[in-house]
Amino acid sequence: MNALNPADLRLLSHTTSDGVTTRELLLGDVTATLWSPEHAAPGTPLVLLGHGGGRHRHHPSMSGRARLLAESGFRACALDVVGHGPRPGTPYDDEQVDLLRAAFETDEPLGPVVEPYNADLARRTVPEWRALLAGLLAVPEIGAARVGYWGIALGTAIGVPLVAQEPLIGAAVFGLFWSSSLVDAARRITVPVELGVQRDDELVPFADGLALYDAFASTKKSLHVNAGEHAAFPRFEAASAVRFFERHLMA
Amino acid sequence: MNALNPADLRLLSHTTSDGVTTRELLLGDVTATLWSPEHAAPGTPLVLLGHGGGRHRHHPSMSGRARLLAESGFRACALDVVGHGPRPGTPYDDEQVDLLRAAFETDEPLGPVVEPYNADLARRTVPEWRALLAGLLAVPEIGAARVGYWGIALGTAIGVPLVAQEPLIGAAVFGLFWSSSLVDAARRITVPVELGVQRDDELVPFADGLALYDAFASTKKSLHVNAGEHAAFPRFEAASAVRFFERHLMA
């Protein structure tokens, strides 16, 4: 893998619909999308969106959050993690996805497969996010914006090490991931954090959510626990995340 | 104590300021206040506000929440718990308050004093709330409104048994109280609940918050954990409570 040069960021097509401008981006082989409120001024705060495992930057979970953010005056940006969307994976990625499917089918715990695989995806994706962010902030129309990060599940597995390394990120929303691969990075995070977990999560034990919450060094940190299994994560947590970014990136 | 008759509810003075009408109420010896958006229609949803220990219906924590609610289109109502505000306590109340002060001064755990005393206050206050609510809903300008309850600390000690007994209450926000005196009532609560606790609460152990959360029979229940001690309970949880009532009483 060659190091990405932020100056190589290319802003491709853009379309505007219902007050939101959607612009396709390319940095090396990293495909990404930037959503902005129409006529957004330089310095408009920017939230990086990390997609979940098996999803991609144009999944409705990304475009839906981007629209919520744009309607509240934020820009949002999502990239495709390697092996997701149009980006091919390596034979190692294919093997890991097969292992994951097998664990699902045999009802084995997913953590022992997901945690090391997603940690590897994080090692590959964190430098991509940092180069993309540097490239974005160098675009005059984007300017020196305040930056947040919002990602659940795989988006948390990548986001926790990203926020620990990237000093430009000033607030982060995470959720629904195991703790053992993340607590070391979480201990280096001091910016405000909101973490969402499910009390009856059949995949990620509740104790992992509490351990991850406790690991953050942030003095401002909220844990939102909701009833139900993994997939019952409520939609109103997205509105809560937007208000969290309003408090920390707009005040 | 004589049983209160809801038909005896008296609506006393009212004033309007910045779009909120404040009306003083009296039912027997129970002093109460109703806040309404100016020109509110019959059926406007109503949130009952339970004050904290040592406070009263006109404490800023009550009038502040009432204004937040009125600005979002709710009515709000608070009453003075016996021994609070203008209402005299009994010799038993005086004795309990002395015990509480002594426990504070000697750094003893407060739970063994607060829990039984507040349970006694709840036994006296729940019938007052129920009579007041029946009286309010019989006022034509209030009408058959949907009803919520919002109380922290003593407001939770009274609110949990109230919501367990009063079928007219359809959603409730609680926080910052011990569990052992409340879990039995909590197990009878099925309406949506939002519970706020502090991770580092030096008065109420975090395990109590989790036990109370787990006890609610509600399928829709959220636990909001924030960093810091008892008094660090963040102000943004009030805005979260208002949105909770919007979801459950206005949808």
Side-chain angles (χ1 to χ4, degrees), chain B residues 1-236:
Chain B
M1 188 176 64
N2 298 311
L4 295 169
N5 183 346
D8 293 337
L9 177 64
R10 293 167 57 200
L11 283 66
L12 309 176
S13 65
H14 68 272
T15 58
T16 296
S17 166
D18 289 332
V20 180
T21 300
T22 304
R23 188 182 284 255
E24 296 303 323
L25 312 176
L26 193 65
L27 177 60
D29 60 347
V30 179
T31 42
T33 300
L34 175 69
W35 295 268
S36 304
E38 202 178 350
H39 314 303
T44 295
L46 166 67
V47 177
L48 311 181
L49 297 176
H51 65 69
R55 298 185 170 177
H56 57 84
R57 77 189 196 281
H58 282 303
H59 188 275
S61 61
M62 295 289 97
S63 50
R65 286 176 217 175
R67 179 158 287 277
L68 276 181
L69 286 164
E71 287 170 356
S72 294
F74 293 92
R75 295 185 202 270
C77 181
L79 59 67
D80 291 312
V81 174
V82 64
H84 291 74
R87 298 186 64 192
T90 65
Y92 166 76
D93 291 306
D94 296 341
E95 175 194 302
Q96 293 297 311
V97 171
D98 286 345
L99 280 174
L100 188 57
R101 286 211 184 97
F104 250 121
E105 282 163 16
T106 56
D107 267 341
E108 287 170 70
L110 297 185
V113 179
V114 175
E115 283 210 280
Y117 177 44
N118 285 9
D120 188 85
L121 288 175
R123 278 187 289 275
R124 288 183 275 170
T125 308
V126 166
E128 297 177 350
W129 263 128
R130 298 192 68 183
L132 178 61
L133 177 58
L136 286 169
L137 297 183
V139 175
E141 74 176 67
I142 296 175
R146 299 175 72 180
V147 181
Y149 180 89
W150 179 5
I152 306 299
L154 173 61
T156 290
I158 291 170
V160 170
L162 171 63
V163 176
Q165 288 176 52
E166 177 51 74
L168 290 169
I169 299 175
V173 174
F174 300 124
L176 300 183
F177 205 75
W178 293 264
S179 63
S180 66
S181 54
L182 297 182
V183 289
D184 285 344
R187 289 192 187 103
R188 299 196 300 274
I189 291 179
T190 57
V191 300
V193 165
E194 185 166 287
L195 175 69
V197 305
Q198 292 296 105
R199 182 68 173 108
D200 314 296
D201 195 316
E202 76 285 14
L203 304 179
V204 182
F206 175 72
D208 276 62
L210 194 55
L212 183 57
Y213 174 77
D214 284 341
F216 292 113
S218 318
T219 54
K220 294 182 179 173
K221 53 179 180 175
S222 300
L223 176 68
H224 286 186
V225 183
N226 286 289
E229 295 197 337
H230 194 80
F233 193 73
R235 298 190 69 160
F236 59 73

